Short mmCIF file of all heavy atoms in Angstrom, two decimals:
data_model
loop_
_atom_site.label_atom_id
_atom_site.label_comp_id
_atom_site.label_asym_id
_atom_site.label_seq_id
_atom_site.Cartn_x
_atom_site.Cartn_y
_atom_site.Cartn_z
N PRO A 333 -27.97 -21.68 46.70
CA PRO A 333 -28.40 -20.35 46.23
C PRO A 333 -29.53 -20.53 45.22
O PRO A 333 -29.32 -20.47 44.01
CB PRO A 333 -27.13 -19.77 45.61
CG PRO A 333 -26.33 -20.96 45.19
CD PRO A 333 -26.67 -22.07 46.14
N TYR A 334 -30.71 -20.77 45.74
CA TYR A 334 -31.88 -21.17 44.96
C TYR A 334 -32.11 -20.32 43.72
O TYR A 334 -32.28 -20.84 42.61
CB TYR A 334 -33.11 -21.13 45.87
CG TYR A 334 -34.43 -21.46 45.22
CD1 TYR A 334 -34.89 -22.77 45.20
CD2 TYR A 334 -35.22 -20.47 44.65
CE1 TYR A 334 -36.11 -23.09 44.63
CE2 TYR A 334 -36.44 -20.77 44.07
CZ TYR A 334 -36.89 -22.08 44.06
OH TYR A 334 -38.09 -22.38 43.48
N TRP A 335 -32.11 -19.00 43.89
CA TRP A 335 -32.44 -18.10 42.78
C TRP A 335 -31.33 -18.02 41.74
O TRP A 335 -31.57 -17.61 40.60
CB TRP A 335 -32.75 -16.71 43.31
CG TRP A 335 -33.93 -16.68 44.23
CD1 TRP A 335 -33.92 -16.58 45.59
CD2 TRP A 335 -35.31 -16.79 43.86
NE1 TRP A 335 -35.19 -16.61 46.10
CE2 TRP A 335 -36.07 -16.73 45.05
CE3 TRP A 335 -35.97 -16.93 42.63
CZ2 TRP A 335 -37.45 -16.81 45.05
CZ3 TRP A 335 -37.35 -17.00 42.64
CH2 TRP A 335 -38.08 -16.94 43.83
N HIS A 336 -30.14 -18.41 42.11
CA HIS A 336 -29.01 -18.39 41.17
C HIS A 336 -28.93 -19.68 40.36
O HIS A 336 -28.47 -19.68 39.22
CB HIS A 336 -27.69 -18.20 41.93
CG HIS A 336 -27.56 -16.86 42.61
ND1 HIS A 336 -28.26 -16.56 43.76
CD2 HIS A 336 -26.83 -15.77 42.30
CE1 HIS A 336 -27.96 -15.32 44.13
NE2 HIS A 336 -27.10 -14.82 43.26
N GLN A 337 -29.38 -20.79 40.96
CA GLN A 337 -29.23 -22.09 40.31
C GLN A 337 -30.39 -22.46 39.40
O GLN A 337 -30.21 -23.22 38.46
CB GLN A 337 -29.03 -23.18 41.37
CG GLN A 337 -27.71 -23.08 42.10
CD GLN A 337 -27.51 -24.22 43.08
OE1 GLN A 337 -28.46 -24.79 43.62
NE2 GLN A 337 -26.26 -24.58 43.31
N GLY A 338 -31.58 -21.99 39.70
CA GLY A 338 -32.72 -22.37 38.89
C GLY A 338 -33.35 -23.67 39.35
O GLY A 338 -32.97 -24.24 40.38
N LEU A 339 -34.27 -24.19 38.55
CA LEU A 339 -35.07 -25.34 38.97
C LEU A 339 -34.69 -26.66 38.30
O LEU A 339 -34.96 -27.72 38.84
CB LEU A 339 -36.55 -25.06 38.70
CG LEU A 339 -37.14 -23.84 39.43
CD1 LEU A 339 -38.58 -23.63 38.98
CD2 LEU A 339 -37.08 -24.04 40.94
N ASP A 340 -34.10 -26.58 37.12
CA ASP A 340 -33.86 -27.81 36.35
C ASP A 340 -32.50 -28.41 36.68
O ASP A 340 -31.60 -28.47 35.85
CB ASP A 340 -33.96 -27.51 34.86
CG ASP A 340 -35.33 -26.96 34.48
OD1 ASP A 340 -36.33 -27.45 35.04
OD2 ASP A 340 -35.40 -26.04 33.65
N LEU A 341 -32.37 -28.87 37.91
CA LEU A 341 -31.10 -29.42 38.37
C LEU A 341 -31.19 -30.93 38.56
O LEU A 341 -32.25 -31.47 38.88
CB LEU A 341 -30.69 -28.78 39.70
CG LEU A 341 -30.48 -27.26 39.72
CD1 LEU A 341 -30.14 -26.81 41.14
CD2 LEU A 341 -29.37 -26.86 38.76
N ASP A 342 -30.07 -31.58 38.37
CA ASP A 342 -29.97 -33.02 38.64
C ASP A 342 -29.26 -33.27 39.97
O ASP A 342 -28.71 -34.34 40.19
CB ASP A 342 -29.21 -33.72 37.50
CG ASP A 342 -30.07 -33.87 36.25
OD1 ASP A 342 -31.18 -34.41 36.37
OD2 ASP A 342 -29.63 -33.44 35.17
N TYR A 343 -29.31 -32.28 40.83
CA TYR A 343 -28.70 -32.44 42.15
C TYR A 343 -29.36 -31.49 43.14
O TYR A 343 -30.00 -30.51 42.76
CB TYR A 343 -27.20 -32.17 42.09
CG TYR A 343 -26.82 -30.78 41.62
CD1 TYR A 343 -26.71 -29.72 42.52
CD2 TYR A 343 -26.58 -30.52 40.28
CE1 TYR A 343 -26.37 -28.45 42.09
CE2 TYR A 343 -26.23 -29.24 39.84
CZ TYR A 343 -26.13 -28.22 40.76
OH TYR A 343 -25.80 -26.95 40.33
N THR A 344 -29.21 -31.78 44.41
CA THR A 344 -29.68 -30.92 45.48
C THR A 344 -28.53 -30.69 46.46
O THR A 344 -27.58 -31.47 46.51
CB THR A 344 -30.87 -31.52 46.24
OG1 THR A 344 -30.52 -32.81 46.73
CG2 THR A 344 -32.08 -31.64 45.33
N THR A 345 -28.63 -29.60 47.23
CA THR A 345 -27.60 -29.26 48.21
C THR A 345 -28.17 -29.45 49.61
O THR A 345 -29.10 -28.74 49.99
CB THR A 345 -27.17 -27.79 48.04
OG1 THR A 345 -26.68 -27.60 46.71
CG2 THR A 345 -26.08 -27.42 49.04
N PRO A 346 -27.65 -30.40 50.39
CA PRO A 346 -28.16 -30.59 51.75
C PRO A 346 -27.90 -29.36 52.61
O PRO A 346 -26.78 -28.85 52.64
CB PRO A 346 -27.35 -31.79 52.27
CG PRO A 346 -26.82 -32.47 51.05
CD PRO A 346 -26.60 -31.37 50.05
N PRO A 347 -28.91 -28.84 53.30
CA PRO A 347 -28.72 -27.67 54.17
C PRO A 347 -28.14 -28.08 55.51
O PRO A 347 -28.23 -29.24 55.93
CB PRO A 347 -30.14 -27.13 54.32
CG PRO A 347 -31.00 -28.35 54.22
CD PRO A 347 -30.32 -29.26 53.23
N ALA A 348 -27.54 -27.12 56.20
CA ALA A 348 -26.95 -27.40 57.51
C ALA A 348 -26.72 -26.10 58.26
O ALA A 348 -26.75 -25.01 57.68
CB ALA A 348 -25.64 -28.16 57.35
N LEU A 349 -26.47 -26.21 59.56
CA LEU A 349 -25.99 -25.11 60.37
C LEU A 349 -24.55 -25.44 60.77
O LEU A 349 -24.30 -26.54 61.28
CB LEU A 349 -26.84 -24.91 61.62
CG LEU A 349 -28.16 -24.15 61.46
CD1 LEU A 349 -28.86 -24.04 62.82
CD2 LEU A 349 -27.95 -22.77 60.87
N ILE A 350 -23.62 -24.51 60.56
CA ILE A 350 -22.23 -24.78 60.85
C ILE A 350 -21.63 -23.62 61.63
O ILE A 350 -22.18 -22.52 61.65
CB ILE A 350 -21.42 -25.04 59.56
CG1 ILE A 350 -21.59 -23.88 58.59
CG2 ILE A 350 -21.85 -26.33 58.90
CD1 ILE A 350 -20.83 -24.06 57.30
N ASN A 351 -20.49 -23.89 62.26
CA ASN A 351 -19.82 -22.89 63.07
C ASN A 351 -18.32 -23.01 62.88
O ASN A 351 -17.77 -24.10 63.00
CB ASN A 351 -20.20 -23.07 64.54
CG ASN A 351 -19.87 -21.84 65.38
OD1 ASN A 351 -19.02 -21.03 65.01
ND2 ASN A 351 -20.54 -21.71 66.51
N ALA A 352 -17.67 -21.90 62.57
CA ALA A 352 -16.22 -21.90 62.37
C ALA A 352 -15.55 -21.05 63.44
O ALA A 352 -14.55 -20.38 63.20
CB ALA A 352 -15.87 -21.36 60.98
N TYR A 353 -16.11 -21.09 64.65
CA TYR A 353 -15.61 -20.27 65.74
C TYR A 353 -14.28 -20.81 66.27
O TYR A 353 -14.22 -21.92 66.80
CB TYR A 353 -16.65 -20.24 66.86
CG TYR A 353 -16.25 -19.50 68.11
CD1 TYR A 353 -15.45 -18.37 68.07
CD2 TYR A 353 -16.71 -19.94 69.35
CE1 TYR A 353 -15.10 -17.69 69.22
CE2 TYR A 353 -16.38 -19.25 70.51
CZ TYR A 353 -15.57 -18.13 70.44
OH TYR A 353 -15.23 -17.46 71.59
N ASP A 354 -13.23 -20.06 66.08
CA ASP A 354 -11.92 -20.35 66.66
C ASP A 354 -11.32 -21.68 66.20
O ASP A 354 -10.36 -22.16 66.79
CB ASP A 354 -12.01 -20.36 68.19
CG ASP A 354 -11.06 -19.35 68.79
OD1 ASP A 354 -10.54 -18.50 68.05
OD2 ASP A 354 -10.84 -19.41 70.01
N THR A 355 -11.90 -22.28 65.18
CA THR A 355 -11.31 -23.50 64.62
C THR A 355 -11.64 -23.51 63.13
O THR A 355 -12.68 -23.03 62.71
CB THR A 355 -11.86 -24.76 65.30
OG1 THR A 355 -11.20 -25.91 64.76
CG2 THR A 355 -13.35 -24.91 65.07
N SER A 356 -10.75 -24.01 62.33
CA SER A 356 -10.98 -23.97 60.89
C SER A 356 -12.05 -24.97 60.48
O SER A 356 -12.25 -26.00 61.11
CB SER A 356 -9.68 -24.27 60.13
OG SER A 356 -9.21 -25.55 60.45
N MET A 357 -12.76 -24.64 59.42
CA MET A 357 -13.80 -25.50 58.88
C MET A 357 -13.58 -25.63 57.38
O MET A 357 -13.37 -24.63 56.69
CB MET A 357 -15.17 -24.87 59.15
CG MET A 357 -16.33 -25.64 58.54
SD MET A 357 -17.88 -24.78 58.89
CE MET A 357 -17.61 -23.27 57.97
N THR A 358 -13.57 -26.85 56.89
CA THR A 358 -13.39 -27.08 55.47
C THR A 358 -14.71 -26.82 54.74
O THR A 358 -15.74 -27.37 55.11
CB THR A 358 -12.93 -28.51 55.20
OG1 THR A 358 -11.81 -28.81 56.03
CG2 THR A 358 -12.53 -28.69 53.75
N LEU A 359 -14.66 -25.99 53.70
CA LEU A 359 -15.88 -25.65 52.96
C LEU A 359 -16.04 -26.59 51.77
O LEU A 359 -15.77 -26.24 50.63
CB LEU A 359 -15.82 -24.19 52.50
CG LEU A 359 -15.69 -23.15 53.61
CD1 LEU A 359 -15.65 -21.75 53.02
CD2 LEU A 359 -16.82 -23.28 54.61
N ASN A 360 -16.47 -27.81 52.07
CA ASN A 360 -16.72 -28.79 51.02
C ASN A 360 -18.11 -28.61 50.45
O ASN A 360 -19.08 -28.44 51.20
CB ASN A 360 -16.59 -30.21 51.58
CG ASN A 360 -15.18 -30.52 52.04
OD1 ASN A 360 -14.21 -30.06 51.44
ND2 ASN A 360 -15.05 -31.29 53.10
N ILE A 361 -18.23 -28.64 49.14
CA ILE A 361 -19.53 -28.51 48.48
C ILE A 361 -20.18 -29.89 48.42
O ILE A 361 -19.75 -30.78 47.69
CB ILE A 361 -19.38 -27.92 47.07
CG1 ILE A 361 -18.81 -26.50 47.16
CG2 ILE A 361 -20.72 -27.91 46.33
CD1 ILE A 361 -18.51 -25.87 45.82
N GLN A 362 -21.22 -30.06 49.24
CA GLN A 362 -21.91 -31.34 49.35
C GLN A 362 -23.12 -31.37 48.42
O GLN A 362 -23.92 -30.43 48.42
CB GLN A 362 -22.39 -31.55 50.79
CG GLN A 362 -21.33 -31.33 51.84
CD GLN A 362 -20.34 -32.45 51.92
OE1 GLN A 362 -20.54 -33.52 51.34
NE2 GLN A 362 -19.25 -32.24 52.64
N LEU A 363 -23.26 -32.44 47.67
CA LEU A 363 -24.39 -32.57 46.76
C LEU A 363 -24.99 -33.98 46.83
O LEU A 363 -24.28 -34.94 47.16
CB LEU A 363 -23.95 -32.31 45.31
CG LEU A 363 -23.30 -30.96 45.00
CD1 LEU A 363 -22.76 -30.96 43.58
CD2 LEU A 363 -24.28 -29.81 45.21
N MET A 364 -26.26 -34.07 46.52
CA MET A 364 -26.90 -35.36 46.29
C MET A 364 -27.36 -35.38 44.84
O MET A 364 -28.21 -34.59 44.43
CB MET A 364 -28.08 -35.56 47.24
CG MET A 364 -27.70 -35.67 48.72
SD MET A 364 -26.60 -37.06 49.08
CE MET A 364 -27.70 -38.47 48.78
#
Side-chain angles (χ1 to χ4, degrees):
Y334 178 90
W335 298 104
H336 295 74
Q337 292 183 331
L339 299 176
D340 300 321
L341 299 178
D342 285 307
Y343 60 88
T344 56
T345 302
L349 280 181
I350 55 180
N351 196 337
Y353 177 34
D354 238 13
T355 183
S356 61
M357 176 182 65
T358 309
L359 301 181
N360 295 325
I361 297 175
Q362 310 285 348
L363 303 172
M364 294 300 292

